[in-house]
Every structure is written in structure tokens, then in C-alpha cells.
Amino acid sequence: AQDYRYFPEPDLAPIVLSDDYVNGIQAGLPEMPNVRRERYIEKLGLPEYDATQITNSKKMAEFFDKAVAKCGNAKLVSNWLMSDVSRKLNEAEMEIDSIKFTAEDLGDLITLIDKGTISSAIAKKVVTELFENPADPEEIVKAKGWIQISDEGAIKEVVDKIIAANPQSIADYKAGKDKALGFLVGQCMKEMKGKGNPQILNKLILEELSK
């Protein structure tokens, strides 16, 4: 240090910043990525991986926050953002701020899933529609006739039909081949054009298989 002859610059006046000034600057700063990540983990219950992936992009995090504010289901918003939405963005080589639908639209889509209005399979179709022809998700579902069928009577009719047509699958399931259940569920969903409530469908099929 002596070799370089360090000494205070005589022509620069000292700058004294008050605590109020410093606190005001801090208060005006945006939420830092690490703080946001911890908030997602501690307050929203996201896994660390999800929180890290979302906060890697400020625009993605802002989109996420708005969607969660609309529907209240942070984990489901995270799942759809990191899967179908991100895949569509990559395919189109787009950034999230370039899409034509809003974060609130995604929140509305999540609400439709939570309410049982549509299944996850139908939700995938709605995401594609949002990218291609953006509109209110509920209006898309109504216009396309994609509202999920949850009437047990209607589903039971389909289950009975598929089980009667596939005796070998029933024998396979009772012989311990679990894949047979997936096949039967798939056939029922195909018959119902993907609109059957999967929870009710599985329940009714298992009831029939246990007889």
C-alpha cells in the first residue's frame, strides 16, 4: 500500500447519507430473486426446484404472482407454467411477455380445473387455444363443448359398456395386471371424448372390478 501511496482524494467532498435516505432507497427496490424464492418456498409452499426455476426469470415470476393472485393455487400455477406453458414458449421461441393471453387467464384456467369444470387433459387443449386464439378460458370451454362430465349416472353407463366389451382386461386386472385398469380408464375417456371426470371414472371402474 505504501508503494502505491494511497491517500484520501483532497478534491472530493465526503458524502454523508442519512438513515432515512438509505431506508427510502431500500424501500423502493423491487423484490430480489433470493427473497422472492424464499417467499415462494416458505409462504406458498413451493418445492425449492419450482421456486428456483420461476425466479430465474423476473418476467416469469411476475406472471406467476399475478396468476396465483387470481386463483390462489400456487402449486398448480407452477406446474402449468413449468410444463405446458414453457413447452409452448420454447416451441414458438417466445418469451413469456410476448404471449397474447394474460396471467389472469391462466389463473382462470386453474380455477376451472380446481372446480372440476374441466379435466387436466382438457386443460391442455385450452392452453393450446390460449396460445393460438386467446380468449376467456371459460368461454373457450363453453364454445368447444369441453365442460367435464361429472354426472355419475352418465359415467356409469359408459363404464358398464366398456367393461362389458373388454372381458379380457377384467380377467387381466384380477390376475394382478394393473395396466389393465389404465387401459379401461383410457377406453372410457375415449368414449367420453376426454370429458369424463377422472376421479369419478376411476372410482366407478374399481367398484365394478371389485365385484
Side-chain angles (χ1 to χ4, degrees), residues 162-164 166-175 180 184 208-209:
I162 296 301
I163 284 181
N166 295 277
Q168 185 59 51
S169 294
I170 297 168
D172 290 343
Y173 178 80
K174 292 185 176 181
L184 292 170
E208 290 300 314
L209 293 176

Side-chain angles (χ1 to χ4, degrees), residues 121-201:
I122 294 298
K124 290 178 178 292
K125 295 182 179 181
V126 178
V127 169
T128 298
E129 195 68 20
L130 284 172
F131 271 90
E132 297 175 356
N133 302 293
D136 177 78
E138 188 169 4
E139 292 303 317
I140 291 174
V141 169
K142 289 179 179 178
K144 296 288 185 178
W146 287 343
I147 294 176
Q148 183 169 254
I149 299 171
S150 295
D151 178 75
E152 285 202 16
I155 296 176
K156 181 70 165 53
E157 289 182 10
V158 175
V159 169
D160 289 343
K161 176 181 177 181
I162 296 301
I163 284 181
N166 295 277
Q168 185 59 51
S169 294
I170 297 168
D172 290 343
Y173 178 80
K174 292 185 176 181
K177 297 179 180 179
D178 293 337
K179 288 185 178 180
L181 174 61
F183 171 77
L184 292 170
V185 171
Q187 290 300 301
C188 288
M189 289 298 276
K190 182 178 180 181
E191 180 74 16
M192 302 181 76
K193 299 179 180 178
K195 295 190 290 185
N197 184 306
Q199 287 78 26
I200 297 175
L201 191 55

Side-chain angles (χ1 to χ4, degrees), residues 13-162:
I15 299 175
V16 179
L17 304 178
S18 69
D19 290 342
D20 288 343
Y21 178 83
V22 173
N23 292 335
I25 294 295
Q26 290 178 333
L29 291 174
E31 188 177 30
M32 294 294 102
N34 61 314
V35 176
R36 185 173 244 156
R37 183 171 60 252
E38 290 305 312
R39 174 168 65 84
Y40 288 173
I41 295 170
E42 294 177 6
K43 294 187 177 181
L44 299 183
L46 289 190
E48 183 176 354
Y49 177 80
D50 294 37
T52 300
Q53 292 300 308
I54 292 172
T55 54
N56 278 340
S57 164
K58 182 174 181 289
K59 293 174 182 177
M60 178 75 79
E62 290 174 343
F63 193 96
F64 170 82
D65 282 340
K66 291 176 182 177
V68 172
K70 190 68 190 290
C71 70
N73 192 330
K75 182 55 179 145
L76 210 50
V77 172
S78 171
N79 289 348
W80 283 89
L81 265 183
M82 295 198 306
S83 56
D84 288 68
V85 173
S86 289
R87 178 173 55 80
K88 289 285 186 183
L89 288 172
N90 290 335
E91 289 174 354
E93 297 183 348
M94 295 168 59
E95 295 295 330
I96 196 162
D97 59 339
S98 300
I99 58 179
K100 296 179 181 178
F101 63 92
T102 67
E104 288 77 13
D105 288 332
L106 180 62
D108 288 337
L109 174 62
I110 301 301
T111 298
L112 292 175
I113 299 171
D114 277 338
K115 288 165 58 178
T117 304
I118 59 173
S119 65
S120 294
I122 294 298
K124 290 178 178 292
K125 295 182 179 181
V126 178
V127 169
T128 298
E129 195 68 20
L130 284 172
F131 271 90
E132 297 175 356
N133 302 293
D136 177 78
E138 188 169 4
E139 292 303 317
I140 291 174
V141 169
K142 289 179 179 178
K144 296 288 185 178
W146 287 343
I147 294 176
Q148 183 169 254
I149 299 171
S150 295
D151 178 75
E152 285 202 16
I155 296 176
K156 181 70 165 53
E157 289 182 10
V158 175
V159 169
D160 289 343
K161 176 181 177 181
I162 296 301

